[in-house]
Amino acid sequence: MAEEEATTTDQQLRLFIERVERMEEEKKGISDDIRDIYSEAKSQGYDVKIMRQIVRLRKLKPEERKEMEMLIETYKAALGIG
């Protein structure tokens, strides 16, 4: 019985590992696709660095974004950056 449990446990572990490996491959593929999109945008004259910042901003909730923008303005004012 203990051997049977170990075999089941081993199989379950292998299945978890294989699922993670598949997801890692998919993640790599998606990362490559995103990189291609930015490359295409850059070739058409868009500023990729700014695009990445906009994507990060759009992930924030409106109140988080407003707070961050206020802090940036506060810090810029403190440093004399116009």
Side-chain angles (χ1 to χ4, degrees), residues 1-80:
M1 187 80 165
E3 249 182 70
E4 209 174 289
E5 286 181 31
T7 302
T8 301
T9 303
D10 294 349
Q11 289 173 346
Q12 188 177 37
L13 175 61
R14 185 172 2 91
L15 290 174
F16 283 134
I17 297 298
E18 289 171 355
R19 284 171 57 196
V20 169
E21 288 171 340
R22 280 193 303 275
M23 296 303 291
E24 289 291 341
E25 277 300 311
E26 288 179 31
K27 184 170 74 172
K28 183 187 178 312
I30 290 170
S31 291
D32 291 345
D33 291 346
I34 291 170
R35 186 173 38 252
D36 290 346
I37 292 168
Y38 281 123
S39 179
E40 183 180 349
K42 183 176 182 177
S43 73
Q44 293 189 24
Y46 292 99
D47 188 319
V48 172
K49 194 162 43 169
I50 300 302
M51 287 177 61
R52 289 181 190 275
Q53 287 181 331
I54 294 297
V55 169
R56 277 192 296 272
L57 285 173
R58 287 172 51 111
K59 288 180 186 178
L60 296 175
K61 295 178 184 172
E63 61 273 5
E64 291 173 332
R65 186 170 48 244
K66 186 172 183 167
E67 180 181 344
M68 185 183 77
E69 290 170 348
M70 285 178 17
L71 283 171
I72 289 172
E73 289 303 317
T74 301
Y75 284 26
K76 285 170 51 177
L79 295 170

